[in-house]
Amino acid sequence: MQFHSYGNKAAPSLMLLPGLGVSYEIFLPLIGLLRSDFHIIAVEVDGFMLGTYARFTSIDDQAAQANQYVKDHLGGHLDCAYGLSMGGKILSRMMERAEIAIDHAILDGAPLLPLPRWLNGPLRHYQCLNVWTCYHWNGFWKRLFHAHYFDVLLDECRKVWPYGKGQAVLDGYKDIYSHKLGSIKGSDLHFWYGAKEAFVARPQARHLLRLQPDAHIEVFRGLNHGQLLIDRPEEVAKRIRGMNRLSGHESRPTID
């Protein structure tokens, strides 16, 4: 894992964890909006690092590395953390381990439940093919979808593919969907997902509510997986600022 720091180190801390097949640079528009308000730590996950050849290890190992960074550099405390997709899975595991304090946590489309074993294998190879086509047939997919959302995802896939290749995607996908979140500790927990991914995301949200009944669930109409961050980073920034403003004051912020 590698960690990139932005903003004012005296400001509240914000950790950003990216999804499978993309780099930390997917957060750059959001970082530009928040760097004056936060000390931002953008994480590079093993297997999906720019310019560095690495194998993906496991969700548990990534969570342990991130927790250790917070202990070593931030006194064991994060004001806010935002995990996108696989990053949300890593964040949930960080909170399950309960080794650090996180005031506000956002799980954006995070997979918290395992897949049946018979389905995990075929789907991870299908996902690897998706990422491979993003890298090799970028022009075709751009012409097909012609949307900023897909353009960003395609460009991100192309950037990281040479360093972890299909093995990182296969290993990451398998580990993400092999483990069930057993517990989670956090005072202000948010689960976001797009309405177009509801079939997959709704069971994850229900499982989270069983573990943490006070969690805030919000569904974004007309959006797909990760699309809020990509197409509306200013809205994500506004929500994160709102959490920070209310932290430690009158009441816990809610987004539902």
Side-chain angles (χ1 to χ4, degrees):
M1 251 184 177
Q2 295 182 5
F3 302 86
H4 301 268
S5 180
Y6 300 86
N8 179 4
K9 290 190 175 182
S13 55
L14 168 63
M15 178 170 279
L16 304 173
L17 298 113
L20 181 81
V22 300
S23 78
Y24 78 99
E25 289 190 349
I26 200 167
F27 292 118
L28 288 180
L30 181 64
I31 290 169
L33 294 166
L34 290 176
R35 64 187 305 158
S36 62
D37 304 298
F38 288 90
H39 171 207
I40 301 171
I41 305 95
V43 178
E44 282 195 279
V45 176
D46 290 331
F48 306 102
M49 296 190 290
L50 294 173
T52 302
Y53 295 91
R55 289 285 300 269
F56 179 84
T57 52
S58 68
I59 294 296
D60 195 58
D61 177 61
Q62 301 305 297
Q65 290 188 59
N67 274 348
Q68 192 61 50
Y69 179 91
V70 175
K71 292 175 189 176
D72 293 344
H73 300 277
L74 300 169
H77 171 260
L78 278 170
D79 293 282
C80 188
Y82 173 35
L84 174 66
S85 191
M86 179 183 71
K89 179 83 168 190
I90 295 170
L91 177 55
S92 73
R93 182 60 181 135
M94 291 169 65
M95 299 176 77
E96 186 176 16
R97 294 169 70 101
E99 297 173 357
I100 63 172
I102 302 176
D103 293 343
H104 309 284
I106 302 165
L107 310 177
D108 189 346
L112 307 177
L113 293 168
L115 286 171
R117 288 186 180 180
W118 66 268
L119 188 58
N120 194 323
L123 282 184
R124 73 190 184 107
H125 284 88
Y126 173 74
Q127 181 69 9
C128 185
L129 179 63
N130 282 342
V131 177
W132 187 89
T133 56
C134 287
Y135 176 64
H136 290 277
W137 298 340
N138 189 41
F140 168 77
W141 289 108
K142 278 193 175 184
R143 289 193 298 273
L144 179 64
F145 292 111
H146 193 60
H148 175 66
Y149 168 60
F150 284 103
D151 285 353
V152 173
L153 290 181
L154 292 167
D155 288 342
E156 283 297 321
C157 289
R158 290 183 73 246
K159 285 193 291 187
V160 299
W161 177 270
Y163 303 102
K165 291 192 166 32
Q167 193 61 52
V169 177
L170 291 171
D171 292 344
Y173 194 91
K174 180 181 179 181
D175 199 61
I176 288 169
Y177 288 105
S178 297
H179 303 285
K180 179 179 180 179
L181 183 66
S183 65
I184 192 163
K185 295 180 172 60
S187 58
D188 187 42
L189 184 57
H190 302 257
F191 191 93
W192 296 352
Y193 66 93
K196 291 185 178 180
E197 61 172 329
F199 177 75
V200 174
R202 191 180 293 118
Q204 321 299 321
R206 288 172 179 164
H207 178 64
L208 180 62
L209 286 173
R210 285 193 288 270
L211 299 176
Q212 180 64 278
D214 292 333
H216 308 291
I217 311 298
E218 186 162 10
V219 185
F220 296 93
R221 253 192 258 175
L223 298 185
N224 211 321
H225 188 63
Q227 194 169 1
L228 181 69
L229 172 69
I230 293 171
D231 283 354
R232 304 181 191 173
E234 66 286 344
E235 184 171 345
V236 176
K238 180 180 177 180
R239 291 170 181 275
I240 292 174
R241 285 195 197 98
M243 293 177 192
N244 178 54
R245 280 196 298 269
L246 291 177
S247 183
H249 296 291
E250 314 104 13
S251 63
R252 216 166 44 128
T254 59
I255 60 171
D256 56 352

